Amino acid sequence: MEPKFGLVGKNIAYSFSKNYFLKKFAAEGISASYQNFDIQDISELPQVLQTKNLKGLNVTIPYKESIIPYLNRLEADAEKIGAVNTIKIENGKLTGYNTDCFGFMKSLFPLLEKQHQYALVLGTGGASKAVAYALKSLGIEYKLVSRNPSKNQLAYGDLTEEIIAQHPLIINTTPLGTSPQINKAPDIPYRFISKQHLLYDLVYNPPLTNFLANGQAQGAKLYNGQKMLEFQAERAWEIWNQ
């Protein structure tokens, strides 16, 4: 029986992962299948796990944190990050990994210029935790921006011209702007963005989100999440087969 893999998330028909892996399997002659497990609540996960010969899962919004109690163990980085986007299933045991951090770091590193030592991370969900962990590893100081900020976090209304100028790297980890709600964007004062800024959007569909387009209008350097996804997917494949 061929091994099965899949993606767990909510409203994920648009997702990159299924097409990516099906194309990979076809191109490389791999006998395996990949399907979307679109669930409305994490409590439905045990039903997914009944799938015969299921060997691995990717995990996306909004379950990267709530899935953790269902796992038998966490790999060290995933435990430190507090979010999981890859699960290896072996002998009935589920091990959680975080390949978002790997993918983000590998895609970001070649883009960095000397001024990119301070970052604003928009959003405080599972993806932002992986981004924050990567930034810390790269020695980049960052501030988290949230609609409901806790201690040491900024609210969107706190973002002044001075704060924007002091943080030339701005990363969107929220789903705002992704298909089909492509008209949305994080509520930051884009008029203060400059040519010194790098705007990185984890959203990849559409390739040019409103967040990036607003930065482009100010002359900023832009990057979307496509490469990050490719890097993290390849790392997930390595984990499933190691």
Short mmCIF file of all heavy atoms in Angstrom, two decimals, residues 41-68:
data_model
loop_
_atom_site.label_atom_id
_atom_site.label_comp_id
_atom_site.label_asym_id
_atom_site.label_seq_id
_atom_site.Cartn_x
_atom_site.Cartn_y
_atom_site.Cartn_z
N ASP A 41 -12.59 22.01 13.11
CA ASP A 41 -12.14 22.11 14.49
C ASP A 41 -11.05 21.07 14.73
O ASP A 41 -11.11 19.97 14.17
CB ASP A 41 -13.31 21.89 15.45
CG ASP A 41 -12.94 22.23 16.89
OD1 ASP A 41 -13.08 23.39 17.29
OD2 ASP A 41 -12.49 21.30 17.60
N ILE A 42 -10.09 21.39 15.56
CA ILE A 42 -8.97 20.47 15.81
C ILE A 42 -9.45 19.17 16.45
O ILE A 42 -8.77 18.13 16.34
CB ILE A 42 -7.88 21.15 16.69
CG1 ILE A 42 -6.58 20.33 16.67
CG2 ILE A 42 -8.38 21.39 18.09
CD1 ILE A 42 -5.95 20.17 15.31
N SER A 43 -10.62 19.18 17.06
CA SER A 43 -11.15 17.96 17.68
C SER A 43 -11.45 16.87 16.63
O SER A 43 -11.65 15.70 16.98
CB SER A 43 -12.43 18.27 18.47
OG SER A 43 -13.43 18.78 17.61
N GLU A 44 -11.47 17.25 15.35
CA GLU A 44 -11.70 16.29 14.27
C GLU A 44 -10.42 15.56 13.86
O GLU A 44 -10.47 14.65 13.02
CB GLU A 44 -12.30 17.00 13.05
CG GLU A 44 -13.67 17.64 13.30
CD GLU A 44 -14.12 18.50 12.13
OE1 GLU A 44 -13.94 18.07 10.97
OE2 GLU A 44 -14.60 19.62 12.37
N LEU A 45 -9.28 15.95 14.44
CA LEU A 45 -8.00 15.35 14.04
C LEU A 45 -7.98 13.83 14.21
O LEU A 45 -7.45 13.13 13.33
CB LEU A 45 -6.85 15.98 14.82
CG LEU A 45 -5.46 15.45 14.47
CD1 LEU A 45 -5.05 15.85 13.05
CD2 LEU A 45 -4.41 15.93 15.47
N PRO A 46 -8.49 13.26 15.32
CA PRO A 46 -8.45 11.80 15.45
C PRO A 46 -9.07 11.05 14.27
O PRO A 46 -8.61 9.96 13.91
CB PRO A 46 -9.22 11.55 16.74
CG PRO A 46 -8.99 12.79 17.55
CD PRO A 46 -9.01 13.91 16.55
N GLN A 47 -10.09 11.65 13.63
CA GLN A 47 -10.68 11.02 12.45
C GLN A 47 -9.69 11.00 11.30
O GLN A 47 -9.58 10.02 10.57
CB GLN A 47 -11.95 11.77 12.03
CG GLN A 47 -13.08 11.69 13.05
CD GLN A 47 -14.18 12.71 12.75
OE1 GLN A 47 -14.31 13.72 13.41
NE2 GLN A 47 -14.98 12.41 11.74
N VAL A 48 -8.95 12.09 11.14
CA VAL A 48 -7.92 12.16 10.10
C VAL A 48 -6.87 11.07 10.33
O VAL A 48 -6.41 10.41 9.39
CB VAL A 48 -7.24 13.55 10.10
CG1 VAL A 48 -6.04 13.58 9.15
CG2 VAL A 48 -8.25 14.64 9.73
N LEU A 49 -6.51 10.87 11.58
CA LEU A 49 -5.45 9.92 11.92
C LEU A 49 -5.86 8.46 11.69
O LEU A 49 -5.02 7.57 11.73
CB LEU A 49 -5.02 10.12 13.37
CG LEU A 49 -4.41 11.50 13.69
CD1 LEU A 49 -4.14 11.64 15.17
CD2 LEU A 49 -3.14 11.74 12.87
N GLN A 50 -7.15 8.24 11.42
CA GLN A 50 -7.62 6.90 11.09
C GLN A 50 -7.29 6.52 9.64
O GLN A 50 -7.43 5.36 9.25
CB GLN A 50 -9.14 6.80 11.30
CG GLN A 50 -9.60 7.01 12.74
CD GLN A 50 -9.04 5.97 13.69
OE1 GLN A 50 -9.05 4.78 13.41
NE2 GLN A 50 -8.52 6.44 14.83
N THR A 51 -6.86 7.49 8.85
CA THR A 51 -6.51 7.24 7.44
C THR A 51 -5.44 6.17 7.34
O THR A 51 -4.38 6.28 7.97
CB THR A 51 -6.02 8.54 6.77
OG1 THR A 51 -7.02 9.55 6.94
CG2 THR A 51 -5.76 8.33 5.30
N LYS A 52 -5.70 5.15 6.56
CA LYS A 52 -4.76 4.02 6.47
C LYS A 52 -3.46 4.43 5.79
O LYS A 52 -3.46 5.14 4.79
CB LYS A 52 -5.41 2.86 5.72
CG LYS A 52 -6.47 2.15 6.55
CD LYS A 52 -6.99 0.91 5.85
CE LYS A 52 -8.01 0.21 6.75
NZ LYS A 52 -8.70 -0.89 6.06
N ASN A 53 -2.36 3.94 6.35
CA ASN A 53 -1.01 4.16 5.83
C ASN A 53 -0.60 5.63 5.78
O ASN A 53 0.19 6.04 4.94
CB ASN A 53 -0.84 3.52 4.45
CG ASN A 53 0.49 2.79 4.34
OD1 ASN A 53 0.99 2.23 5.31
ND2 ASN A 53 1.09 2.80 3.17
N LEU A 54 -1.16 6.43 6.68
CA LEU A 54 -0.80 7.84 6.79
C LEU A 54 0.57 7.96 7.45
O LEU A 54 0.77 7.47 8.57
CB LEU A 54 -1.85 8.59 7.61
CG LEU A 54 -1.76 10.11 7.68
CD1 LEU A 54 -1.95 10.73 6.29
CD2 LEU A 54 -2.81 10.67 8.64
N LYS A 55 1.52 8.58 6.74
CA LYS A 55 2.91 8.64 7.21
C LYS A 55 3.35 10.03 7.65
O LYS A 55 4.34 10.18 8.38
CB LYS A 55 3.86 8.15 6.10
CG LYS A 55 3.60 6.72 5.64
CD LYS A 55 3.83 5.73 6.77
CE LYS A 55 3.67 4.29 6.29
NZ LYS A 55 3.82 3.33 7.40
N GLY A 56 2.63 11.05 7.19
CA GLY A 56 3.06 12.40 7.55
C GLY A 56 2.00 13.44 7.22
O GLY A 56 1.18 13.24 6.32
N LEU A 57 2.03 14.53 7.99
CA LEU A 57 1.09 15.63 7.78
C LEU A 57 1.81 16.97 7.79
O LEU A 57 2.77 17.15 8.54
CB LEU A 57 0.03 15.64 8.89
CG LEU A 57 -0.98 14.49 8.91
CD1 LEU A 57 -1.74 14.49 10.23
CD2 LEU A 57 -1.95 14.60 7.73
N ASN A 58 1.32 17.87 6.97
CA ASN A 58 1.64 19.28 7.12
C ASN A 58 0.48 19.91 7.89
O ASN A 58 -0.65 19.42 7.82
CB ASN A 58 1.81 19.98 5.77
CG ASN A 58 2.99 19.45 4.98
OD1 ASN A 58 2.83 18.95 3.87
ND2 ASN A 58 4.18 19.55 5.54
N VAL A 59 0.75 20.98 8.60
CA VAL A 59 -0.27 21.65 9.40
C VAL A 59 -0.25 23.14 9.07
O VAL A 59 0.83 23.76 9.04
CB VAL A 59 -0.01 21.46 10.92
CG1 VAL A 59 -1.15 22.08 11.73
CG2 VAL A 59 0.16 19.99 11.27
N THR A 60 -1.42 23.71 8.82
CA THR A 60 -1.48 25.13 8.52
C THR A 60 -2.53 25.81 9.40
O THR A 60 -3.11 25.20 10.30
CB THR A 60 -1.74 25.36 7.01
OG1 THR A 60 -1.56 26.75 6.71
CG2 THR A 60 -3.13 24.91 6.60
N ILE A 61 -2.75 27.09 9.12
CA ILE A 61 -3.69 27.92 9.88
C ILE A 61 -5.06 27.23 9.96
O ILE A 61 -5.53 26.71 8.94
CB ILE A 61 -3.84 29.29 9.19
CG1 ILE A 61 -2.51 30.08 9.32
CG2 ILE A 61 -4.97 30.11 9.78
CD1 ILE A 61 -2.47 31.36 8.50
N PRO A 62 -5.69 27.17 11.13
CA PRO A 62 -5.30 27.81 12.39
C PRO A 62 -4.83 26.81 13.46
O PRO A 62 -5.03 27.05 14.64
CB PRO A 62 -6.63 28.44 12.83
CG PRO A 62 -7.66 27.41 12.38
CD PRO A 62 -7.10 26.76 11.14
N TYR A 63 -4.21 25.70 13.05
CA TYR A 63 -3.99 24.60 13.99
C TYR A 63 -2.53 24.37 14.40
O TYR A 63 -2.23 23.35 15.02
CB TYR A 63 -4.56 23.30 13.39
CG TYR A 63 -6.03 23.38 13.03
CD1 TYR A 63 -6.48 23.05 11.76
CD2 TYR A 63 -6.96 23.81 13.97
CE1 TYR A 63 -7.82 23.12 11.43
CE2 TYR A 63 -8.31 23.89 13.66
CZ TYR A 63 -8.74 23.55 12.37
OH TYR A 63 -10.07 23.64 12.07
N LYS A 64 -1.64 25.27 14.07
CA LYS A 64 -0.21 25.03 14.34
C LYS A 64 0.11 24.95 15.84
O LYS A 64 1.11 24.32 16.22
CB LYS A 64 0.65 26.10 13.67
CG LYS A 64 0.63 26.02 12.16
CD LYS A 64 1.55 27.06 11.52
CE LYS A 64 1.47 26.99 10.00
NZ LYS A 64 2.42 27.91 9.37
N GLU A 65 -0.71 25.57 16.65
CA GLU A 65 -0.51 25.50 18.10
C GLU A 65 -1.46 24.51 18.76
O GLU A 65 -1.05 23.71 19.62
CB GLU A 65 -0.69 26.90 18.71
CG GLU A 65 0.34 27.90 18.22
CD GLU A 65 -0.11 29.35 18.43
OE1 GLU A 65 -1.01 29.82 17.70
OE2 GLU A 65 0.46 29.99 19.32
N SER A 66 -2.72 24.52 18.34
CA SER A 66 -3.72 23.66 19.00
C SER A 66 -3.52 22.18 18.71
O SER A 66 -4.09 21.33 19.40
CB SER A 66 -5.14 24.10 18.58
OG SER A 66 -5.31 24.02 17.18
N ILE A 67 -2.69 21.85 17.73
CA ILE A 67 -2.45 20.44 17.40
C ILE A 67 -1.46 19.79 18.37
O ILE A 67 -1.42 18.56 18.51
CB ILE A 67 -1.93 20.31 15.94
CG1 ILE A 67 -2.26 18.91 15.40
CG2 ILE A 67 -0.43 20.62 15.83
CD1 ILE A 67 -2.18 18.79 13.90
N ILE A 68 -0.71 20.59 19.09
CA ILE A 68 0.38 20.07 19.94
C ILE A 68 -0.10 19.03 20.97
O ILE A 68 0.56 18.00 21.15
CB ILE A 68 1.16 21.23 20.58
CG1 ILE A 68 1.97 21.96 19.50
CG2 ILE A 68 2.09 20.72 21.70
CD1 ILE A 68 2.70 23.20 19.97
#
